[in-house]
Amino acid sequence: MSTSPAKSIAAPSLPLDGRVFALITAAGSSTRFGGQKKELEQLEGCTVLERAIEPFIETCSGIVVTCPPGARAEFEAFFAQSALSPAIARLERGFAIVEGGSTRQDSVLLGLRALKELGCDRDIVLIHDGARPWISADLVRTTIEQTRMHGACLPLAPLVETPKIVEGQVVHTHSSRAHVMTAQTPQAFSFPEILAAHELAAREGYVATDDAMIWDHYVGPVFWIEGERRNRKITYREDLFGSPGMSEARPAAAPTVRTGIGYDIHPLIADRPLLLAGVQIESDRGEAGYSDGDVLWHALIDALLGAAALGDIGTHFPPGKPEWKNADSTALARKVAAMLHRQDWHIVNIDCTVILEKPRLGPYREQICSAIARALNIPQGSVSFKAKTKEGFDAVGRGEAIEAHAIVLIAR
């Protein structure tokens, strides 16, 4: 009877009972995507990378993200402004960005070393492609559960086309689909062994196409679970358009639509800038407020939150909290757009009105519409802005205050 050859690294004792860490790989050059960094492309209100990271935050003690060589400062600045930054800040063992190497395998090794610096030890590591934004929290949880039982686990998806083995321009073998599947991520492992396996592969010059192949070569068999059709990797630009599997996941029906209304009023005082959707209006007075006082963004934020039944601006950004003192309301609006996107809402159109006696706002109309569209990642043609006066009536009419109204339509 034949026996399997001895492996270089002893398999872990099971079941595993450590914490969970995540390594998100985003160090590639995105050449096939067109050279632009695909993980930083917008995807309905946030980036591909943010969508890929989000399902890991609630289950992981620490997260490391790999970035291209020389891009660490850019990535750090990006995450400092990300809607995920408050949740990332709460990670028990922290969050780190590490520059990758010349290959994915090199980058993973550097990321694993960075996880060790975060305190990852007798724990589990999930290695996930930053270009897989449609990963579900359920798949993450199932992968973790099976890794605790088996030491290593990855999701696999069945082939939908018939595979062929070729030599040059000739088909050599007509393979059956029955025993061939495609690998997805996250691939999860007992941390000490996968780190040791990567270190050994680097020393021996062993090259693998994924981390499961390295585990199998040096440690032992890898358990598999059924993956998800929608958990597809973005490689080409056309892969961005349309969430894979959604047409099968939901019945063909009219989209769900909702409307939301928002309103705000601020006193006008000296020595403050007058801001409307982040656009500074030439004026001798501006809005008073705990944040930057941007009355138009505040009305729009309430309209967006109201449409999605997510509360109001005071619920998420309460005045009196130090982190919101003089906060940039454009950044707050981006956070709210990301909240809606995580619930699969997208913004169809916006109609807003600002009421102010002076100065005249008509000359700023295009600039304001452009600023709103850019911040919320929607077409400028989906934004309408109007300016009115109170013709001398009440505090606004007397020039003591500024008022904003907004209505939005969102859809699933």
Side-chain angles (χ1 to χ4, degrees):
M1 183 174 68
S2 63
T3 59
S4 299
K7 300 294 184 178
S8 304
I9 298 168
S13 298
L14 302 174
L16 305 177
D17 59 2
R19 299 164 299 182
V20 179
F21 289 74
L23 171 57
I24 311 297
T25 61
S29 60
S30 301
T31 302
R32 287 175 291 179
F33 190 78
Q36 295 174 318
K37 193 70 183 125
K38 61 189 176 185
E39 291 88 352
L40 300 183
E41 286 288 315
Q42 289 291 317
L43 186 63
E44 298 181 13
C46 64
T47 63
V48 169
L49 185 56
E50 288 169 304
R51 284 293 302 269
I53 291 173
E54 186 182 13
F56 296 89
I57 291 176
E58 294 303 318
T59 55
C60 291
S61 296
I63 296 175
V64 164
V65 176
T66 64
C67 69
R72 183 173 178 178
E74 177 190 353
F75 269 55
E76 287 176 343
F78 166 77
F79 280 107
Q81 297 295 321
S82 170
L84 298 180
S85 59
I88 287 172
R90 294 192 293 269
L91 289 168
E92 176 195 354
R93 300 302 302 180
F95 176 83
I97 297 166
V98 61
E99 294 184 13
S102 58
T103 67
R104 182 189 183 278
Q105 188 170 324
D106 293 339
S107 298
V108 169
L109 176 55
L110 293 168
L112 292 172
R113 289 172 179 169
L115 279 173
K116 190 172 182 65
E117 293 296 317
L118 284 188
C120 188
D121 187 19
R122 308 300 303 181
D123 300 304
I124 290 171
V125 59
L126 295 150
I127 304 174
H128 184 62
D129 294 326
R132 289 185 189 268
W134 295 292
I135 174 69
S136 74
D138 285 342
L139 185 58
V140 172
R141 284 191 293 268
T142 303
T143 305
I144 293 169
E145 290 167 3
Q146 295 304 316
T147 303
R148 291 195 186 281
M149 297 301 298
H150 301 279
C153 178
L154 84 161
L156 297 178
L159 288 178
V160 294
E161 286 99 3
T162 299
K164 303 292 183 183
I165 308 300
V166 300
E167 286 186 359
Q169 294 300 118
V170 177
V171 175
H172 179 268
T173 306
H174 300 270
S175 301
S176 168
R177 288 190 306 225
H179 302 292
V180 180
M181 304 183 81
T182 58
Q184 297 182 345
T185 65
Q187 299 185 5
F189 311 91
S190 174
F191 178 75
E193 291 78 17
I194 191 63
L195 174 59
H198 264 280
E199 295 280 13
L200 188 53
R203 289 195 298 272
E204 294 184 349
Y206 176 71
V207 177
T209 53
D210 70 357
D211 308 294
M213 186 173 170
I214 288 181
W215 180 279
D216 184 76
H217 185 75
Y218 288 109
V219 185
V222 181
F223 188 80
W224 70 273
I225 59 173
E226 185 176 350
E228 296 174 339
R229 279 192 296 165
R230 61 180 286 131
N231 181 28
R232 200 171 69 193
K233 185 178 180 181
I234 293 172
T235 301
Y236 302 98
R237 180 165 291 277
E238 57 265 30
D239 296 335
L240 269 175
F241 305 109
S243 176
M246 292 303 290
S247 59
E248 294 84 0
R250 292 181 184 145
T256 300
V257 295
R258 289 184 183 175
T259 58
I261 58 172
Y263 167 80
D264 200 17
I265 186 169
H266 282 254
L268 292 170
I269 60 174
D271 300 321
R272 290 274 289 192
L274 180 60
L275 299 171
L276 294 176
V279 176
Q280 185 160 342
I281 309 300
E282 188 173 340
S283 174
D284 58 357
R285 293 179 301 164
E287 302 109 319
Y290 189 75
S291 66
D292 62 9
D294 193 320
V295 68
L296 179 53
W297 267 138
H298 295 178
L300 280 167
I301 286 170
D302 264 351
L304 291 165
L305 291 170
L310 291 174
D312 61 15
I313 191 169
T315 303
H316 297 277
F317 315 111
K321 292 279 189 179
E323 59 264 39
W324 309 127
K325 179 69 173 175
N326 296 320
D328 179 357
S329 295
T330 300
L332 304 185
R334 289 194 183 104
K335 291 177 186 289
V336 169
M339 292 179 201
L340 267 66
H341 181 257
R342 289 194 290 273
Q343 295 197 0
D344 287 333
W345 293 110
H346 72 270
I347 301 165
V348 178
N349 77 296
I350 288 171
D351 186 20
C352 51
T353 302
V354 171
I355 306 171
L356 178 68
E357 289 303 292
K358 62 179 183 179
R360 291 180 62 249
L361 299 177
Y364 296 93
R365 178 177 288 110
E366 291 301 314
Q367 194 176 351
I368 290 169
C369 289
S370 175
I372 293 170
R374 189 167 57 251
L376 301 180
N377 194 34
I378 59 176
Q380 187 169 331
S382 298
V383 181
S384 169
F385 171 80
K386 302 184 294 292
K388 301 290 184 181
T389 71
K390 283 286 185 77
E391 300 191 8
F393 292 101
D394 67 29
V396 175
R398 293 191 298 271
E400 300 168 3
I402 182 172
E403 189 173 297
H405 300 257
I407 184 166
V408 304
L409 178 68
I410 63 174
R412 268 187 177 137

